């Protein structure tokens, strides 16, 4: 497995063990920053512009400086050139931007980290994922009306998402699907839900949910493969009557849901077609 590589926005490669963040950086002490992540396959990036656009939207929501797009491109290019693609043919590039030192004592911190895609994520494309339903405590449309809760921002404050995934692992599952108190289906900690409902690919309405670039790709390319994609106010009842489902994201691409709360879940007849659209090997 290749070691992670780090690049600054001037294109210089820095050892990952080299300190580049001050101890009082608000990204560290407050989680006050944003990031985005994109899959890189043998040096080919997926939807770079879309990820830079989402990074910029996240930064705007948090009132952070406008990301240096050219700088991020320089950093990504340097990492792609330096990476050993034979040793690790798939990697995830994480674009990071923080507010910088507390009290405004310095500029915002920005860098790109390239890490090999984890073996567990790769395996889940073939084996699928066992999912737990967890209550997120609020409805998406409620959050959408509260900008101080940062709806639609991919912030560094990911502790709740990671805690949810740890909870799943501790209870014999691989991942989580968040559900609102109303019973509306939302999203996973790091993924978007897709269901096969009566032969259509259905995804929850996106109010208060982070925009999914993988979903955008699916919506764009699915018609050429004979698939229909639509947004719907999905509930637990839809989950029960669906012919199958997947969690999709930039890194995993797609993983079929194999069980929900310990109960086996059906395999959709659309599985192979969806994998072809998203170019999933598995």
């Amino acid at each position: 497995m290749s070691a992670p590589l780090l690049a600054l926005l001037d294109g210089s490669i820095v050892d990952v063990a080299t300190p580049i963040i001050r101890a009082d950086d608000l990204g560290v002490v407050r989680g006050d920053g944003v990031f985005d992540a994109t899959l890189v396959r043998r040096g080919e990036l997926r939807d770079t512009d879309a990820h830079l656009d989402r990074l910029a939207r996240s930064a705007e929501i948090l009132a952070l400086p406008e990301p240096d797009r050219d700088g991020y491109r320089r950093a990504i290019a340097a990492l792609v050139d330096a990476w050993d693609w034979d040793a690790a043919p798939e990697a995830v590039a994480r674009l990071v931007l923080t507010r910088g030192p507390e009290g405004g004592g310095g500029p915002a911190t920005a860098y790109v980290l390239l890490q090999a895609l984890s073996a567990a994520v790769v395996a889940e494309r073939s084996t699928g994922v066992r999912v737990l339903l967890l209550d997120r405590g609020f409805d998406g449309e409620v959050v959408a009306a509260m900008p101080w809760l940062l709806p639609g921002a991919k912030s560094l404050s990911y502790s709740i998402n990671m805690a949810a995934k740890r909870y799943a692992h501790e209870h014999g599952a691989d991942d989580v699907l968040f559900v609102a108190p109303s019973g509306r289906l939302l999203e996973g900690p790091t993924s978007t839900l897709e269901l096969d409902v009566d032969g259509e690919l259905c995804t929850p309405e996106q109010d208060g949910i982070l925009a999914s670039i993988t979903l955008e790709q699916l919506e764009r390319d699915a018609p050429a493969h004979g698939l229909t994609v639509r947004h719907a106010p999905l509930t637990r009842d839809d989950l029960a009557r669906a012919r199958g489902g997947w969690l999709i994201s930039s890194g995993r691409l797609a993983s079929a849901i194999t069980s929900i709360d310990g109960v086996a879940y059906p395999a959709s007849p659309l599985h192979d077609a969806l994998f072809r659209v998203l170019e999933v090997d598995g």
Side-chain angles (χ1 to χ4, degrees):
M1 184 70 70
S2 295
L5 291 180
L6 173 66
L8 305 181
L9 300 200
D10 62 3
S12 59
I13 301 291
V14 179
D15 190 297
V16 291
T18 300
I20 63 167
I21 299 177
R22 287 175 42 157
D24 62 348
D25 190 295
L26 287 166
V28 176
V29 299
R30 301 284 189 187
D32 192 1
V34 296
F35 79 102
D36 216 291
T38 180
L39 181 67
V40 191
R41 279 179 156 174
R42 293 197 173 277
E44 296 293 328
L45 278 73
R46 297 173 64 95
D47 300 310
T48 308
D49 288 338
H51 285 282
L52 286 170
D53 288 344
R54 190 168 67 177
L55 183 71
R57 289 196 300 272
S58 295
E60 182 179 9
I61 292 169
L62 270 72
L64 290 168
E66 173 75 18
D68 178 357
R69 288 172 178 262
D70 290 339
Y72 280 106
R73 289 184 182 279
R74 279 191 297 271
I76 291 169
L79 292 170
V80 167
D81 287 343
W83 191 257
D84 185 346
W85 295 107
D86 290 326
E90 289 188 288
V92 174
R94 288 184 171 85
L95 291 61
V96 179
L97 176 66
T98 82
R99 198 172 301 279
E102 192 161 14
T109 300
Y111 60 89
V112 179
L113 181 68
L114 190 65
Q115 294 177 287
L117 188 65
S118 77
V121 170
V122 174
E124 286 175 355
R125 295 172 182 167
S126 300
T127 63
V129 287
R130 301 163 297 170
V131 169
L132 286 184
L133 300 182
L134 293 184
D135 190 340
R136 197 168 72 173
F138 47 79
D139 284 271
E141 61 267 27
V142 173
V143 176
M146 299 178 178
W148 55 89
L149 295 182
L150 307 180
K154 196 172 179 68
S155 78
L156 291 175
S157 303
Y158 250 50
S159 295
I160 291 175
N161 290 351
M162 297 299 97
K165 295 197 74 159
R166 287 194 301 272
Y167 184 88
H169 295 160
E170 291 164 2
H171 291 80
D174 305 302
D175 215 322
V176 164
L177 176 60
F178 287 124
V179 182
S182 64
R184 291 273 289 272
L185 305 179
L186 298 172
E187 60 187 337
T190 60
S191 62
T192 297
L193 173 67
E194 203 69 42
L195 292 181
D196 173 358
V197 179
D198 300 327
E200 287 187 304
L201 296 175
C202 296
T203 195
E205 293 180 332
Q206 301 295 289
D207 288 342
I209 292 177
L210 179 71
S212 168
I213 292 169
T214 309
L215 175 59
E216 292 174 4
Q217 180 195 347
L218 184 61
E219 292 174 317
R220 181 185 68 233
D221 298 339
H225 294 260
L227 298 176
T228 301
V229 182
R230 66 181 177 90
H231 294 220
L234 299 174
T235 68
R236 289 175 181 264
D237 289 341
D238 295 302
L239 199 61
R241 71 186 183 91
R243 303 192 303 173
W246 304 263
L247 296 181
I248 65 173
S249 64
S250 296
R252 71 167 16 117
L253 299 179
S255 299
I257 297 171
T258 59
S259 71
I260 296 178
D261 290 344
V263 178
Y265 204 62
S268 166
L270 304 181
H271 178 80
D272 290 343
L274 181 140
F275 267 39
R276 284 194 295 272
V277 175
L278 295 180
E279 303 174 82
V280 185
D281 299 324

